[in-house]
């Protein structure tokens, strides 16, 4: 899971450095994260994109300004049989390219996740902001959505329980996440670094599918760690 994530990040960086990053798209749709449209046509929104799992043959490739990298997570039902369960569209745009708004704040680098049927079930984006600006944004969100729950992205015994926020936090694990629960979806805000604020909005279905895909791996690691502690009396 981690190796694939690093490969995707590496491919995204390569696309950006090689000049395939799209410029600001004034004619592209801006997602209103306060009232997102989960019925948008995701492939059309992300076009043109490159499919990481099914790349085009080199002979068929042309110079294209790819806006997204598409990546599919599969669920194995046996050693040889698998089927797609989650599809990720990773933005290659710069953070300055406006893609979304939340509480009157502009965000860039909008990533989208769909189920196997192409239905949008999660989104995340980021912006540059200092700590003071972040605190103001959290208060604005609190006035609109109520008091958040403060959680942390953690490993170990709580990793499966916090699988949603762990999937959103990539830079370190002890990062506080302000989390709101709205009916069947989650809203999250956190500072990933001293000047980068990230926001996500995800359906409960996304969390459920993450547990299906990554849950067995996490549980296996937890059991192995328990056995090691027992053997070595840690």
């Amino acid at each position: 899971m981690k190796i694939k994530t690093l490969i995707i990040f590496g491919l995204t960086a390569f696309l950006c450095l090689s000049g395939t990053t799209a410029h600001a798209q004034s004619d592209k749709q801006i997602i209103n994260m306060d009232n997102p449209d989960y019925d948008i046509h995701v492939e059309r929104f992300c076009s043109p994109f490159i499919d990481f799992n099914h790349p085009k043959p080199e002979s068929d490739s042309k110079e294209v300004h790819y806006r997204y990298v598409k990546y599919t997570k599969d669920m194995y039902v046996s050693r040889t049989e698998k089927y797609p369960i989650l599809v990720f569209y990773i933005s290659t745009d710069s953070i300055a390219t406006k893609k979304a708004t939340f509480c009157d704040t502009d965000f860039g680098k909008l990533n989208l996740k769909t189920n196997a049927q192409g239905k949008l079930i999660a989104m995340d984006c980021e912006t540059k902001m200092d700590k003071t600006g972040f605190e103001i944004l959290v208060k604005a969100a609190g006035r609109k959505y109520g008091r958040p729950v403060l959680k942390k992205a953690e490993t170990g015994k709580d990793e499966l329980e916090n699988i949603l926020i762990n999937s959103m936090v990539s830079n370190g694990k002890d990062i506080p996440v302000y989390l709101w629960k709205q009916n069947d979806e989650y809203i999250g805000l956190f500072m990933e670094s001293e000047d980068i604020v990230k926001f996500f909005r995800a359906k409960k279905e996304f969390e459920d599918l993450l547990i299906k895909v990554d849950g067995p791996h996490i549980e296996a690691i937890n059991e192995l760690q328990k056995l090691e502690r027992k053997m070595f009396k840690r």
Side-chain angles (χ1 to χ4, degrees), residues 129-137 191:
M129 185 180 292
D130 59 21
K131 187 175 180 180
T132 300
F134 174 68
E135 291 172 349
I136 293 173
L137 180 58
M191 289 199 77

Side-chain angles (χ1 to χ4, degrees), residues 168-186:
M168 297 297 180
V169 178
S170 59
N171 183 19
K173 286 299 179 185
D174 289 325
I175 295 179
V177 177
Y178 291 89
L179 192 70
W180 290 264
K181 181 74 165 61
Q182 298 287 309
N183 297 322
D184 68 335
E185 64 179 318
Y186 298 97

